[in-house]
Amino acid sequence: MNSNLKKYKDIHKGKRVFLIGNGPSLKDTELDLIKGEYSIAMNGISEIFGKTKWRPSYYVYTSTMIENKDWENVWSKFVDNVLKEDIIKAFIWRRFSRIINDKYNNIEWLNNVTDNKGNYLISEKWWPKNIEERIDKSATTMNVALQLANYMGFNEIILLGCDLMKESTDVKNDQNHFCKLYYKPFGNDKNKISKYNEKIKNVYILARKNIPQNIKIYNASLITKLDVLPKIDYKLYLKSNKI
């Protein structure tokens, strides 16, 4: 049970929030434009901290990469560098408590997380009716962020850095994230990349279906193939408040 999440129910009712993905377009996104705004980031976001004064309000970590021997040190560093910023509240899957340093007091443990790893077929189970009972991270950590944003009562959700995966001729370096320290989960397997992208799209379709329709959801990523949500101009929206 995630009964500890009760205190976040509708805590930001009527406000807007930015959900920060880790796609390559994030490198060119002026994150300082949302400094002071509510935001939820994830995974390796701390690698961009040296280039911006912006810091997320919330952070989510539910990736099993931290249990991969080849990547444990890298991903543990991602998380640790976030936790050092005590203004950030971090939602972390409790299964990683043996790896993540518990000296920090800005951790909110997620006790019950489900993950349909490897399953490309979308399911209504990927969107729990009540995250106080369980929260779901199937396909992407962004699924958790969307559920949290909905639970917290935000009435406008804006995506950044949500680009989907692309094929690349570079077999050594990952081209699908803002940070070179990421890994290439599918190499250049076109079939797996295509299926994965469809699964990611389905996560957003499912979120749009289950989040009340009066809640606005926009994709403001600079360069994106995520075409299942309305696309808006990031700078125009932030500087002129125009959609």
Side-chain angles (χ1 to χ4, degrees):
M1 296 288 286
N2 301 315
S3 55
N4 55 314
L5 297 183
K6 286 182 179 180
K7 57 181 171 287
Y8 298 99
K9 178 65 175 175
D10 290 332
I11 192 173
H12 300 303
K13 195 171 184 65
K15 305 297 184 180
R16 72 180 178 187
V17 65
F18 293 82
L19 304 192
I20 317 298
N22 290 174
S25 71
L26 201 63
K27 290 184 295 186
D28 300 313
T29 302
E30 291 184 47
L31 289 170
D32 281 339
L33 289 179
I34 60 169
K35 186 175 180 290
E37 298 267 2
Y38 292 110
S39 57
I40 304 175
M42 59 204 67
N43 297 337
I45 192 62
S46 58
E47 285 299 301
I48 213 167
F49 285 176
K51 300 178 181 178
T52 177
K53 294 179 181 179
W54 163 85
R55 294 293 184 269
S57 316
Y58 301 102
Y59 172 78
V60 178
Y61 191 85
T62 54
S63 174
T64 52
M65 283 306 300
I66 207 168
E67 295 175 326
N68 182 312
K69 284 188 177 181
D70 294 333
W71 294 95
E72 184 175 309
N73 289 338
V74 172
W75 286 70
S76 295
K77 181 183 175 183
F78 287 164
V79 179
D80 198 58
N81 285 340
V82 168
L83 294 175
K84 288 176 181 176
E85 305 266 351
D86 57 9
I87 62 170
I88 303 171
K89 175 64 72 174
F91 294 91
I92 300 176
W93 194 350
R94 187 175 284 279
R95 71 180 285 180
F96 307 132
S97 59
R98 65 180 180 81
I99 301 169
I100 293 170
N101 197 322
D102 63 359
K103 69 179 180 181
Y104 301 106
N105 58 13
N106 53 338
I107 299 176
E108 194 71 69
W109 294 109
L110 298 174
N111 299 303
N112 190 12
V113 181
T114 49
D115 182 9
N116 293 284
K117 202 171 183 64
N119 184 359
Y120 286 89
L121 299 176
I122 194 73
S123 167
E124 287 291 337
K125 293 180 180 179
W126 292 16
W127 191 269
K129 292 182 179 179
N130 185 358
I131 67 171
E132 292 174 23
E133 296 177 1
R134 72 175 178 92
I135 199 163
D136 191 274
K137 69 96 29 190
S138 298
T140 170
T141 304
M142 187 61 78
N143 195 26
V144 177
L146 285 160
Q147 290 162 55
L148 283 170
N150 179 56
Y151 185 78
M152 290 176 173
F154 290 105
N155 73 343
E156 194 166 287
I157 300 170
I158 304 100
L159 309 177
L160 290 173
C162 297
D163 308 328
L164 294 185
M165 300 189 76
K166 63 181 179 180
E167 298 166 18
S168 171
T169 56
D170 188 338
V171 296
K172 294 183 178 180
N173 299 306
D174 173 50
Q175 304 295 309
N176 289 304
H177 298 91
F178 75 92
C179 168
K180 291 183 179 180
L181 291 178
Y182 268 80
Y183 71 112
K184 300 186 72 175
F186 306 124
N188 294 316
D189 189 317
K190 295 181 180 180
N191 185 49
K192 286 185 177 179
I193 290 173
S194 177
K195 283 186 175 181
Y196 183 76
N197 281 340
E198 286 304 312
K199 181 167 71 168
I200 295 297
K201 286 183 179 181
N202 283 336
V203 166
Y204 291 101
I205 291 172
L206 188 62
R208 179 64 284 181
K209 176 182 176 183
N210 284 278
I211 293 174
Q213 293 304 302
N214 64 311
I215 307 301
K216 300 173 183 177
I217 309 178
Y218 299 118
N219 182 7
S221 305
L222 301 188
I223 301 173
T224 180
K225 291 186 177 180
L226 182 64
D227 55 3
V228 298
L229 295 169
K231 176 75 171 64
I232 65 171
D233 184 291
Y234 174 59
K235 289 185 178 180
L236 186 64
Y237 175 67
L238 266 295
K239 293 181 177 181
S240 304
N241 198 32
K242 292 183 179 179
I243 297 297

